[in-house]
Amino acid sequence: MILPLSHVAPVIRSKNAGPFHLTFDILFSDRAVFRHVLGTGQISRERFARTYRLNECDVRWTIYEPALGVKATIRRLAASGDPGDDDVYGCQQHAPLLGWDIDVPSALIPGR
Amino acid sequence: MSPTTLLSPTGILGYGFPERSFAAGLAAGPDVIGCDGGSTDQGPADLGRGTLHVSADACRRDLELMITGSRRFDVPLLIGTAGGAGAEPHVEAMREIVVEIARQRRLHFSLATIRSDVPPTYLHERVDAGETGPLDGAGPLDHDTVDSCDRIVAVMGAEPYQECLRRGADVVIAGRSSDTAIFAAVPLLKGGAAGPSWHAGKILECGAAAAVPMSATDCMLAWVGPDGFDVEPCSPAQACTPISIAAHTMYENESPYLLVEPSGTLDTRNCSFTSVNSRRTRVTGSAFVPAPRYSVKLEAARLIGYRTFCIGVSHDPVLIAESDRYVDAVRTEVAARVAATWGEAAEYSLNVRQIGKNAGMGPLEPTDKATGHEIGLLISVIAPTQARADAILAMARTQALHGELPGREGLLSNLAFPFAPSDVPAGPVHVFALNHVVFPESPTELFPIHAERL
């Protein structure tokens, strides 16, 4: 079934990683769901770059299995607090990820 | 060797914490109480202005509990990045609060303060010696850049804290610091394993934020042993689970598993996170790779002008539909009026954010369409003086209020201002001016210690 990522991953957030970088975390709570979603390539550096209209080479992409998590880090377009910055803490840049369509077998989603 | 017990009362000094949780933490017999006082998260304003990130009153409340607990149980208390930005005015303000608490509570103890301000002369010398380096995306550090900074601090590691403790300090108020080093200092000093010491620090520096349900304003305990560390929140309403601790390892960092400190890198790639019981998690496999050279991160603020802003709300569907054109018209009119009043060379910048359209994400916003029934115009001017910023913002506000709209006639007033005066002088504007490291001769040379007996 198709679900938005926000229904599949309980933690989706962005934050400053220092004043010059933004870091995005997508964390799952279920190992089987995590493995399925990553294994089917539905969460990828390429999809992230496309969503934010960036070059893939500008996205630092790492998978951290102990946390069932994926992290994307990019350079900020403006440093935190610069006149052109819109989000000093860098914490409201993840919204486009919430609506990512994710195809998950119903069997993996409890209560569905 | 018995484990080293670490207690973290809260995520940021002044954010608060429950007294009952802190009492439970003290009852566990900690070897150190640590607290992070600040961050660069909130932007460069506190560093540039010398202002506190959290109020003195809130800091005093937290410090009083921490100091009395520290003295009752004779446990050293380490506060890092004091005052929010860790420069001289911040450290001095926190020191004064500590002195006042000692006097009021008739407590006698040894207080050490550690400064982290970098004299430009030192940095010029390091530039000439080739002992500086850029971080990701920055150019090499040059003399002009050093001179352009209004305030520079260096981020200290564990060594200055350890030196204070060797000299008998009971309470340490430190300037700009690695958050993790505040907590790693004591277990390392006691000969503890580096990986678990640094990793425990990473988890504890946010208070109990790594526990579930999340709370950065509650207390956390860690026990650092030779093979790993255990972590447990002090509140019975919270628990540390393997996932919650692994997830927090990733937080606020460029990499999920490589965390760079002055003396090396914490590598958590091979960590195992397991439950000891329903509320305690054990972490093993944390590794610390010493750096070939000790490197100290620099942070600096530079004043670029003064800001005045106003915010107004429009309910007009034509303005909302035509908002970009409306804003462009404001921009054009302001440029003409500024030139007519102060000449073509008058410096200023005008920024109009559209709340309800793309104010939060700016160029990253994928939707970029105002679909609501109202839109907010957040108009901000930066100019060389506050008076000039006030004056130019007034021009922008006038044009934004009375601008023409297609299909509408007569004298229009298009914005609902929530308060009078509508225009808010917002003070000096700073930017982060450095993204560099320096290679000092020793881990402590940038961090002078002043000890006093209270």
Side-chain angles (χ1 to χ4, degrees):
Chain A
M1 59 190 310
I2 308 286
L3 291 170
L5 183 62
S6 59
H7 288 219
V8 176
V11 178
I12 305 171
R13 65 188 175 198
S14 74
K15 195 79 193 294
N16 289 341
F20 305 100
H21 292 85
L22 275 180
T23 193
F24 299 73
D25 294 336
I26 301 170
L27 303 175
F28 295 80
S29 53
D30 181 286
R31 177 158 273 116
V33 173
F34 169 74
R35 290 210 168 126
H36 170 80
V37 174
L38 258 81
T40 50
Q42 298 185 74
I43 289 189
S44 67
R45 184 210 308 257
E46 186 273 331
R47 189 173 189 182
F48 184 93
R50 198 166 11 103
T51 298
Y52 287 92
R53 303 190 298 273
L54 300 165
N55 297 318
E56 273 190 64
C57 59
D58 293 329
V59 179
R60 182 175 175 183
W61 180 263
T62 21
I63 297 167
Y64 190 51
E65 176 127 10
L68 304 184
V70 174
K71 179 179 276 285
T73 300
I74 61 175
R75 290 209 73 221
R76 277 168 145 276
L77 294 169
S80 168
D82 271 7
D85 180 31
D86 295 307
D87 182 358
V88 171
Y89 285 80
C91 60
Q92 282 293 294
Q93 304 306 309
H94 57 283
L97 303 176
L98 299 172
W100 272 3
D101 280 337
I102 302 291
D103 193 351
V104 194
S106 314
L108 286 183
I109 306 293
R112 292 195 180 259
Chain B
M1 200 183 98
S2 61
T4 308
T5 307
L6 319 179
L7 173 59
S8 171
T10 186
I12 295 277
L13 180 70
Y15 276 16
F17 53 90
E19 288 190 50
R20 192 188 326 185
S21 297
F22 187 57
L26 289 171
D31 297 295
V32 63
I33 304 166
C35 192
D36 179 15
S39 174
T40 52
D41 242 15
Q42 67 268 23
D46 291 321
L47 180 60
R49 297 180 180 200
T51 47
L52 299 181
H53 174 54
V54 187
S55 72
D57 283 355
C59 290
R60 181 176 297 111
R61 181 268 178 191
D62 283 1
L63 274 173
E64 184 153 358
L65 281 168
M66 291 183 201
I67 291 172
T68 50
S70 152
R71 293 303 82 225
R72 180 175 311 131
F73 292 88
D74 197 22
V75 178
L77 170 63
L78 311 180
I79 307 288
T81 311
E88 189 268 333
H90 313 91
V91 174
E92 188 51 35
M94 289 299 108
R95 180 198 155 272
E96 281 176 12
I97 294 175
V98 172
V99 168
E100 193 183 316
I101 290 170
R103 192 177 54 236
Q104 283 172 355
R105 301 295 295 257
R106 299 190 212 284
L107 295 169
H108 301 286
F109 55 88
S110 175
L111 169 66
T113 52
I114 314 175
R115 295 272 191 258
S116 60
D117 311 275
V118 181
T121 47
Y122 173 93
L123 210 43
H124 283 301
E125 182 275 320
R126 289 281 92 187
V127 169
D128 283 335
E131 299 290 15
T132 64
L135 291 174
D136 178 34
L141 186 55
D142 57 33
H143 294 295
D144 284 345
T145 305
V146 174
D147 284 333
S148 77
C149 301
D150 291 302
R151 205 192 300 274
I152 310 172
V153 291
V155 185
M156 73 182 80
E159 292 81 358
Y161 293 99
Q162 293 168 338
E163 182 57 28
C164 287
L165 293 169
R166 275 191 211 99
R167 297 189 200 179
D170 299 308
V171 176
V172 178
I173 300 293
R176 186 69 179 108
S177 172
S178 148
D179 309 340
T180 324
I182 304 166
F183 296 92
V186 165
L188 290 170
L189 191 60
K190 286 158 70 81
S197 298
W198 286 101
H199 197 168
K202 169 67 182 171
I203 301 300
L204 255 58
E205 57 105 348
C206 284
V212 290
M214 192 288 300
S215 173
T217 54
D218 213 322
C219 313
M220 192 84 118
L221 281 162
W223 295 265
V224 181
D227 301 314
F229 69 97
D230 287 2
V231 60
E232 180 180 305
C234 297
S235 164
Q238 288 182 288
C240 290
T241 68
I243 294 261
S244 78
I245 301 305
H248 196 78
T249 302
M250 293 176 65
Y251 182 62
E252 272 186 338
N253 200 61
E254 288 181 46
S255 159
Y257 45 65
L258 297 176
L259 293 88
V260 179
E261 300 291 338
S263 50
T265 299
L266 170 64
D267 186 340
T268 65
R269 266 178 293 201
N270 296 316
C271 282
S272 294
F273 302 83
T274 52
S275 285
V276 175
N277 58 45
S278 63
R279 296 181 55 250
R280 184 182 293 204
T281 289
R282 175 159 299 156
V283 183
T284 57
S286 317
F288 191 77
V289 181
R293 307 195 63 190
Y294 196 92
S295 73
V296 169
K297 206 186 304 188
L298 299 166
E299 288 169 4
R302 178 172 69 243
L303 177 71
I304 64 163
Y306 293 80
R307 169 183 280 126
T308 306
F309 73 92
C310 73
I311 184 163
V313 176
S314 169
H315 261 252
D316 191 313
V318 173
L319 190 154
I320 293 170
E322 299 285 310
S323 61
D324 286 347
R325 258 188 280 268
Y326 194 81
V327 168
D328 283 343
V330 171
R331 204 179 286 290
T332 305
E333 177 67 17
V334 169
R337 292 204 56 206
V338 168
T341 311
W342 296 289
E344 292 286 347
E347 283 177 25
Y348 73 102
S349 70
L350 167 63
N351 187 327
V352 184
R353 289 178 178 81
Q354 301 179 41
I355 300 176
K357 185 169 179 318
N358 58 7
M361 293 189 68
L364 291 183
E365 173 62 63
T367 310
D368 203 19
K369 227 197 307 264
T371 55
H373 55 272
E374 67 178 5
I375 197 170
L377 295 186
L378 173 54
I379 308 170
S380 156
V381 169
I382 300 176
T385 66
Q386 190 69 67
R388 182 64 60 87
D390 292 348
I392 297 175
L393 190 276
M395 293 172 169
R397 178 248 303 151
T398 308
Q399 179 60 29
L401 179 56
H402 296 303
E404 289 177 357
L405 285 172
R408 305 241 190 278
E409 294 187 9
L411 175 55
L412 304 174
S413 301
N414 296 316
L415 293 177
F417 293 110
F419 22 75
S422 59
D423 302 350
V424 183
V429 179
H430 293 84
V431 295
F432 283 115
L434 293 180
N435 189 18
H436 297 81
V437 293
V438 65
F439 304 103
E441 300 283 327
S442 80
T444 51
E445 75 179 17
L446 273 165
F447 308 106
I449 294 168
H450 172 65
E452 55 192 301
R453 185 83 207 156
L454 298 183

